[in-house]
Amino acid sequence: MKSRYDLDGRHELQRKVDLDERLYRMYDKVEETENLPMDAGA
């Protein structure tokens, strides 16, 4: 039988993975936006 701690831990791990993915996507968008003026000026 699984304890509540095991279920919470798995849930928290999945939440961290989801938040990490969102953070990396945000950094990618920032980097793309920073590169736009350089691409337009070239």
Side-chain angles (χ1 to χ4, degrees):
M1 182 172 161
K2 296 208 181 252
S3 71
R4 180 180 171 168
Y5 179 77
D6 291 338
L7 295 175
D8 288 344
R10 186 171 14 141
H11 174 75
E12 292 300 320
L13 180 61
Q14 184 60 48
R15 180 179 169 135
K16 182 185 182 320
V17 168
D18 291 343
L19 290 173
D20 284 345
E21 289 175 0
R22 290 176 64 191
L23 180 63
Y24 293 138
R25 283 195 302 265
M26 185 176 68
Y27 279 132
D28 288 343
K29 285 184 179 185
V30 168
E31 186 176 342
E32 289 173 10
T33 303
E34 288 175 344
N35 290 333
L36 283 177
M38 287 186 247
D39 293 343

